[in-house]
Amino acid sequence: MSAPRGRAVPTGRAASPAAALLRVSRRRPGPVVGERCEMCAAPIGDEHQHVVNLESRSLMCGCRACYLLFTEEGAELRYRAVPDRYLAFDGLPLDARTWDELQIPVGLAFVFRNSVQGRTIAFYPGPAGATESELPLDAWATVVAANPGLAVLRPDVEALLVRRTEAGGGGGREVVASCHLVPIDACYELVGRLRALWRGFDGGQEAHAAMDDFFDHVRARSRPADPAGADGLAAVTDATTADSTSAAGGSV
């Protein structure tokens, strides 16, 4: 039976190259739309969780299944899940001398423990973006020894977000207007927001308004921290606690 006129019937190796390309293009998957897990490529929503690459200190977006693989506290893993814990430390006084010893030149910083490098680090905003500073061991140990609740900070995945203002009244005293334990990804969110808005030496009006909004959000999510560190979640015994004990001459 002959084929209908006007219609080519490709056979075997004689098939048209154009027809082959057309078949391939039809089978090609469509473009990826929306966020994807950076580990398994599963679709995730705009609101998703993160894990930290301990070597590069980079954040990775993750689906729930991949996130749960890295939540074990005692496991030796390359990645760590970022917890969703917010704690408020109220009435945490710092005198001017102690703050100066931390070598943080501005009134806003977040502090976290890098377990790979074995040191405590502070980031603070400035005209050139976020600046990293290694905190002097003895100075930070003194702060933790005087405030044992700070020892619940989990290395790599949580940070202390500190905002300081003048107490007034003389005597060289300062007060911390706000001190919160927050997930590390919240700190990077704040840094990114300030980088886009920062003007001049002190940030300018827009940057300070963004800080106010961010701290309002943090306060709304935070619950009071136990001053002794018994906040109902397991505290992590890490090098920060050990360093504080050694430098302060007692337990924290």
Side-chain angles (χ1 to χ4, degrees), residues 17-223:
L21 287 175
L22 181 61
R23 288 196 302 273
V24 170
S25 64
R26 286 173 177 171
R27 294 171 186 167
R28 183 178 301 165
V32 175
V33 178
E35 292 276 2
R36 294 269 175 171
C37 174
E38 294 185 61
M39 293 188 166
C40 72
I44 54 178
D46 292 336
E47 297 293 329
H48 53 263
Q49 293 163 304
H50 296 97
V51 298
V52 174
N53 183 322
L54 301 186
E55 293 293 337
S56 65
R57 288 187 6 214
S58 60
L59 287 175
M60 301 177 66
C61 301
C63 66
R64 182 65 177 172
C66 290
Y67 172 87
L68 292 175
L69 294 174
F70 305 104
T71 56
E72 181 62 39
E73 290 287 350
E76 295 186 8
L77 301 171
R78 179 181 176 183
Y79 304 97
R80 287 284 178 197
V82 178
D84 188 27
R85 181 167 69 152
Y86 288 79
L87 300 176
F89 294 88
D90 294 326
L92 183 68
L94 290 174
D95 58 46
R97 185 183 69 177
T98 301
W99 188 259
D100 289 342
E101 288 175 350
L102 294 177
Q103 299 178 13
I104 300 174
V106 297
L108 173 67
F110 69 88
V111 177
F112 72 98
R113 180 73 184 178
N114 186 312
S115 63
V116 174
Q117 298 180 12
R119 61 188 182 125
T120 302
I121 297 171
F123 275 94
Y124 54 87
T131 300
E132 177 179 325
S133 173
E134 181 178 354
L135 294 184
L137 174 61
D138 292 346
W140 180 243
T142 299
V143 174
V144 177
N147 304 275
L150 301 180
V152 302
L153 182 69
R154 291 176 176 140
D156 305 304
V157 295
E158 291 181 329
L160 290 175
L161 185 60
V162 182
R163 192 180 187 185
R164 184 187 67 135
T165 59
E166 294 285 341
R173 295 293 300 173
E174 306 274 349
V175 295
V176 171
S178 188
C179 179
H180 293 82
L181 182 150
V182 299
I184 194 71
D185 52 6
C187 296
Y188 287 124
E189 177 187 346
L190 176 59
V191 167
R193 189 179 304 181
L194 293 180
R195 182 184 295 118
L197 298 173
W198 197 274
R199 299 292 182 273
F201 179 77
D202 68 347
Q205 185 176 355
E206 285 187 281
H208 283 273
M211 282 188 270
D212 291 339
D213 290 342
F214 187 84
F215 273 89
D216 287 342
H217 171 73
V218 169
R219 277 191 291 269
R221 299 195 61 175
S222 298
R223 60 185 177 85

